[in-house]
Amino acid sequence: MSDQIKFIVDNLNKEPFRKNYNLITFDSLEPMQLLQVLNDVLAEIDPKQDVDIREEMPEQTAKRMLSLLGILKYKPPGSATDMSTFRQGLVIGSKPVIYPVLHWLLQRTNELKKRAYLARFLIKLEVPSEFLQDETDISAMEEEKDQLIKRVERLKKRVETVQNHQRMLKIARQLRVEKEREEFLAQQKQEQKNQLFHAVQRLQRIQNQLKSMRHAAADAKPESLMKRLEEEIKFNSYMVTEKFPKELENKKKELHFLQKVVSEPAMGQSDLLELESKINEINTQINQLIEKKMIRNEPIEGRLSLYRQQASIISHKKEAKAEELQEAKEKLANLEREVSVKTNQTREFDGTEVLKGDEFKRYVSKLRSKSTIFKKKHQIIAEFKAEFGLLQRTEELLKQRHENIQHQLQTLEEKKGISGYSYTQEELERVSALKSEVDEVKGRTLDDMSEMVKKLNSLVTEKKSALAPVIKELRQLRQKCQELTQECDEKKSQYDSCAAGLESNRSKLEQEVRGLREECLQEESRYHYTNFMIKNLEVQLRRATDEMKAYVSSDQQEKRKAIREQYTKNITEQENLGKKLREKQKAVRESHGPNMKQAKMWRDFEQLMECKKQCFLKQQSQTSIGQVIQEGGEDRLIL
């Protein structure tokens, strides 16, 4: 077993798998991973098996692998009764089942590749039972089959006599493979063209968006951008910290009130009288509190009432402007979405965005009007800001001036000995003014409150009478909602079960369609191969017929064109050439001995001359040692 695993790991680490496993990692593979390895090996043998088993049902995977192993003539170890165990082990990815299969496949990969390639042309066709019942047609088809077999045998014999027939068959197979590859490349080319077209459209849309964004940012300055960002930050902070919390609190209160109203039962006349009594008690308490507050008459409240009123007015204006701005932003966002939708629709038609004629004029005029309105609004805002700054400065100056006057007045009172006189005078005037105002306000307040109580009572009565049928209807709607919810749950469960059944049927139909398509492709390939062989045999038959006509013809010129005559001529020429070569060979054999002797004598002569040359050179070098040469009255010894 260990030798078997070692062989499997060694072969999986080689080309074309290159899994980079060792004995430990391979033995620790999960069943699903082991099945994927087996599927990869089968895909190397038959490319149709190249699928991801995670996207396939286990039964389909086992059926596909068993079908291919049956075509490859794999025999599981054990008896015929162990086939069910083998199938079950193949489904669950059992190691004792997978390891022998991998070992057997990796031992004879090249042989199995050839068998898998030829199998699609050698698969026995299953004839439907309805065709087998017609004996007349069956006998006619059998006779036709016998005739075709005999014809094929005759054609094979004729083809075998043709020169290079194996090479021609090989070329025909290569032609068929190249045609299939050409169709695949054409389909792939078309898909790439479609992808390129979509990519070009997407690039154009992105370029248009980039162009519009650059055009919008071309005239922008850092100061204006910062100012705009500051305004947006202020607005957003106001919306987050002030407006949205208030709205959320109001919505919560309203929701709580509505929930309370919904949860309460329908009110009767006694309930309404009880509520009216409670309202009267609360109104009485409110009046008492208002009178106590007026009697207390705190000076600080009187001083701050004006500022509170102004702050309340400003706050209301601020909220109103914020709501207007929020509505304008929402309207702008809606318009931008509409523009985006229209732009995308326009781009889907021709890939570009173009404004023509009146549309462009209207767009320009609208843009100009908006620009004019924006400039006016911006000018108004600038004027408001300038006026606000001027008022702030005026307020500061007046406060400072008031403080100086108060300080001078206090100093003067201290000098005169009447310190605090101005404050007391102001307090007396303020108290008298407040008393008159309070009396007037008290009278108005009592009248207003009595009128308000009447309005509230009438409003409560109207609301109760209006809510009574609504609450009754709401109860009925609640019961109906519960029934509809229960019915919806039942329908949903039925829909889910039906959808699951339809999905399983769809997967089965898709599998059947896939199998039929593969069979169609196999039959089509077999048809093209048979058609090509028939055409090839017809060409050879025509050549053979022409050859027989030329051979039996009485015309000598036509007879010379026959292939047999040409071959006879070629054979005669080759025989003459062989005869000449044999004569030349005989002459070479007869002259071989003397020629070899003469070559040996020549080599001996060369050795003799080389020896003489060496001797001469040696003698010359020995005579030159110790020679005395006289030059210019001097004697020199040369060693």
Side-chain angles (χ1 to χ4, degrees):
M1 188 70 177
S2 60
D3 296 336
Q4 189 182 58
I5 296 175
K6 185 177 180 182
F7 175 78
I8 294 171
V9 171
D10 292 340
N11 282 273
L12 289 176
N13 291 336
K14 296 178 183 178
E15 293 289 344
F17 305 106
R18 302 186 67 177
K19 294 292 186 180
N20 196 18
Y21 288 143
N22 54 36
L23 295 176
I24 298 174
T25 56
F26 181 74
D27 192 57
S28 62
L29 289 177
E30 297 293 332
M32 186 65 70
Q33 296 174 343
L34 195 60
L35 280 174
Q36 186 64 51
V37 172
L38 176 59
N39 190 79
D40 294 342
V41 176
L42 293 175
E44 179 62 26
I45 295 172
D46 186 6
K48 292 181 181 179
Q49 307 296 322
D50 189 9
V51 296
D52 191 351
I53 62 174
R54 294 175 296 182
E55 300 176 357
E56 194 176 34
M57 297 296 292
E59 293 80 7
Q60 296 177 356
T61 304
K63 183 178 179 181
R64 177 172 53 81
M65 290 183 177
L66 284 171
S67 176
L68 182 59
L69 290 175
I71 293 172
L72 298 178
K73 305 297 183 183
Y74 174 73
K75 295 181 179 179
S79 60
T81 57
D82 296 335
M83 283 301 297
S84 60
T85 306
F86 176 76
R87 292 191 186 94
Q88 186 177 2
L90 192 63
V91 171
I92 64 176
S94 177
K95 293 180 181 179
V97 174
I98 302 296
Y99 285 172
V101 178
L102 285 173
H103 186 265
W104 185 80
L105 292 173
L106 294 172
Q107 278 182 333
R108 45 183 67 83
T109 305
N110 295 327
E111 178 186 350
L112 296 176
K113 282 183 181 179
K114 184 177 180 182
R115 183 176 296 175
Y117 174 76
L118 296 175
R120 54 181 177 176
F121 304 108
L122 303 176
I123 295 175
K124 186 177 180 181
L125 296 177
E126 295 182 0
V127 182
S129 59
E130 59 267 18
F131 294 109
L132 293 175
Q133 295 175 0
D134 195 348
E135 296 180 357
T136 306
D137 292 344
I138 292 172
S139 59
M141 292 173 67
E142 287 180 350
E143 291 177 0
E144 187 178 359
K145 177 184 176 182
D146 295 334
Q147 292 177 2
L148 288 173
I149 291 173
K150 292 178 181 179
R151 186 177 178 184
V152 169
E153 292 295 332
R154 289 197 301 269
L155 291 174
K156 282 184 178 180
K157 291 179 181 179
R158 291 180 182 179
V159 169
E160 289 176 355
T161 59
V162 178
Q163 187 180 3
N164 297 330
H165 67 281
Q166 293 292 340
R167 182 170 175 271
M168 293 174 68
L169 291 175
K170 184 178 180 181
I171 291 172
R173 284 193 295 269
Q174 292 178 355
L175 177 61
R176 179 178 54 77
V177 172
E178 291 298 326
K179 282 186 177 180
E180 292 177 354
R181 187 168 178 269
E182 182 181 2
E183 292 177 357
F184 174 75
L185 291 176
Q187 184 179 3
Q188 192 175 10
K189 181 180 179 182
Q190 186 63 32
E191 291 176 356
Q192 290 180 355
K193 282 184 178 179
N194 294 333
Q195 292 176 1
L196 179 61
F197 177 74
H198 293 306
V200 169
Q201 285 188 341
R202 188 164 57 252
L203 178 61
Q204 289 178 355
R205 289 197 297 268
I206 294 172
Q207 286 178 350
N208 292 331
Q209 291 177 2
L210 179 61
K211 185 177 179 181
S212 61
M213 292 174 67
R214 286 180 176 173
H215 182 71
D219 299 330
K221 295 181 180 179
E223 293 81 5
S224 61
L225 290 175
M226 290 296 295
K227 190 174 180 180
R228 190 185 306 166
L229 288 174
E230 288 176 358
E231 290 176 356
E232 290 181 359
I233 290 170
K234 289 180 181 178
F235 174 73
N236 292 330
S237 61
Y238 166 73
M239 296 293 290
V240 171
T241 57
E242 295 183 15
K243 190 171 186 300
F244 288 157
K246 290 181 180 178
E247 291 180 355
L248 182 62
E249 188 66 22
N250 293 331
K251 294 293 182 183
K252 285 182 178 179
K253 291 180 180 178
E254 186 177 359
L255 179 62
H256 179 70
F257 174 76
L258 292 175
Q259 289 178 350
K260 187 176 179 181
V261 171
V262 171
S263 62
E264 290 179 356
M267 295 183 180
Q269 189 65 27
S270 59
D271 296 328
L272 295 176
L273 294 174
E274 185 178 358
L275 285 175
E276 287 178 357
S277 63
K278 287 183 179 180
I279 291 171
N280 293 326
E281 292 177 0
I282 293 171
N283 289 331
T284 304
Q285 293 177 3
I286 291 171
N287 293 329
Q288 291 176 359
L289 292 173
I290 291 172
E291 290 176 356
K292 289 180 180 179
K293 184 178 179 182
M294 291 179 179
I295 293 170
R296 191 181 305 165
N297 203 6
E298 295 180 357
I300 300 174
E301 292 292 329
R303 188 181 298 174
L304 297 177
S305 60
L306 182 61
Y307 297 105
R308 285 179 179 175
Q309 187 177 4
Q310 292 178 355
S312 177
I313 294 170
I314 293 171
S315 176
H316 287 308
K317 287 184 178 179
K318 191 175 181 181
E319 289 178 357
K321 294 297 181 183
E323 289 177 356
E324 290 178 1
L325 182 59
Q326 185 67 22
E327 290 176 357
K329 283 191 173 183
E330 291 176 356
K331 187 176 180 181
L332 178 61
N334 293 329
L335 291 174
E336 288 177 351
R337 282 195 293 270
E338 292 179 1
V339 169
S340 178
V341 171
K342 298 295 183 183
T343 304
N344 292 330
Q345 292 177 357
T346 305
R347 287 170 181 163
E348 288 176 357
F349 284 115
D350 56 355
T352 57
E353 184 177 359
V354 181
L355 295 176
K356 298 180 180 179
D358 297 336
E359 293 182 358
F360 183 74
K361 291 180 180 179
R362 285 196 297 270
Y363 174 75
V364 172
S365 62
K366 188 176 180 181
L367 187 63
R368 287 175 179 172
S369 62
K370 286 186 177 181
S371 177
T372 305
I373 294 170
F374 171 76
K375 290 179 181 178
K376 290 180 179 179
K377 298 293 184 183
H378 188 70
Q379 186 177 1
I380 293 170
I381 292 171
E383 291 176 356
F384 282 156
K385 288 182 177 179
E387 186 177 358
F388 179 71
L390 182 61
L391 291 174
Q392 280 185 335
R393 181 59 179 166
T394 305
E395 183 182 6
E396 292 176 358
L397 293 174
L398 291 174
K399 285 182 179 179
Q400 186 177 3
R401 185 176 179 184
H402 178 69
E403 290 177 356
N404 293 332
I405 292 171
Q406 287 291 113
H407 182 67
Q408 293 177 2
L409 184 59
Q410 290 176 1
T411 305
L412 184 60
E413 287 176 353
E414 289 177 358
K415 288 181 179 180
K416 299 294 183 178
I418 53 173
S419 179
Y421 174 78
S422 60
Y423 178 74
T424 304
Q425 184 67 26
E426 289 178 359
E427 287 294 324
L428 290 174
E429 292 177 357
R430 186 179 63 82
V431 168
S432 61
L434 283 175
K435 186 176 182 302
S436 60
E437 289 178 0
V438 166
D439 293 336
E440 185 179 357
V441 170
K442 187 176 180 180
R444 289 199 305 268
T445 303
L446 292 174
D447 296 336
D448 293 339
M449 289 180 69
S450 61
E451 187 177 356
M452 186 182 297
V453 168
K454 292 179 181 179
K455 288 182 179 179
L456 287 174
N457 291 331
S458 61
L459 184 62
V460 168
T461 305
E462 291 175 0
K463 293 295 182 182
K464 285 181 179 180
S465 59
L467 287 175
V470 174
I471 293 171
K472 185 176 180 180
E473 186 180 358
L474 180 62
R475 290 176 179 173
Q476 296 176 357
L477 291 175
R478 280 182 179 175
Q479 185 177 0
K480 189 175 181 181
C481 179
Q482 292 177 356
E483 294 175 356
L484 292 175
T485 304
Q486 185 177 0
E487 185 180 358
C488 178
D489 294 336
E490 294 176 357
K491 297 293 183 181
K492 186 176 181 183
S493 61
Q494 293 176 4
Y495 169 77
D496 293 337
S497 60
C498 182
L502 292 175
E503 183 66 23
S504 61
N505 293 332
R506 186 181 66 83
S507 61
K508 291 180 181 178
L509 291 174
E510 286 180 352
Q511 184 179 0
E512 292 178 1
V513 169
R514 196 179 299 111
L516 293 173
R517 284 181 179 175
E518 292 179 357
E519 291 178 3
C520 181
L521 290 174
Q522 292 176 0
E523 294 299 327
E524 186 177 358
S525 176
R526 185 181 299 173
Y527 165 75
H528 288 304
Y529 176 74
T530 307
N531 193 18
F532 174 76
M533 291 299 297
I534 291 171
K535 289 183 179 178
N536 191 13
L537 292 174
E538 288 177 353
V539 171
Q540 294 178 4
L541 181 61
R542 187 167 57 253
R543 289 178 61 187
T545 305
D546 295 340
E547 177 66 18
M548 290 298 295
K549 288 181 180 179
Y551 182 71
V552 300
S553 178
S554 59
D555 190 2
Q556 295 297 326
Q557 188 69 23
E558 187 69 24
K559 197 170 185 179
R560 290 194 190 96
K561 295 181 181 178
I563 298 175
R564 182 171 181 177
E565 293 294 331
Q566 294 178 3
Y567 281 163
T568 305
K569 184 179 178 181
N570 291 335
I571 290 170
T572 305
E573 291 177 355
Q574 294 297 323
E575 288 178 352
N576 294 330
L577 181 61
K579 186 176 179 181
K580 290 180 182 179
L581 291 174
R582 284 194 296 273
E583 291 176 355
K584 188 174 181 180
Q585 182 182 11
K586 183 178 178 182
V588 169
R589 286 179 179 175
E590 291 176 354
S591 61
H592 179 69
N595 289 337
M596 293 297 293
K597 186 176 180 182
Q598 186 176 1
K600 186 175 182 303
M601 292 173 63
W602 181 254
R603 286 194 296 271
D604 293 341
F605 177 72
E606 285 182 349
Q607 290 179 1
L608 180 61
M609 296 302 294
E610 183 67 25
C611 183
K612 286 184 177 182
K613 178 181 177 182
Q614 296 295 331
C615 292
F616 177 75
L617 293 174
K618 185 177 182 181
Q619 185 179 3
Q620 289 292 329
S621 61
Q622 288 177 356
T623 55
S624 62
I625 297 173
Q627 184 177 3
V628 179
I629 299 175
Q630 293 182 355
E631 289 181 359
E634 294 180 355
D635 296 336
R636 289 191 298 168
L637 177 62
I638 299 174
L639 299 178

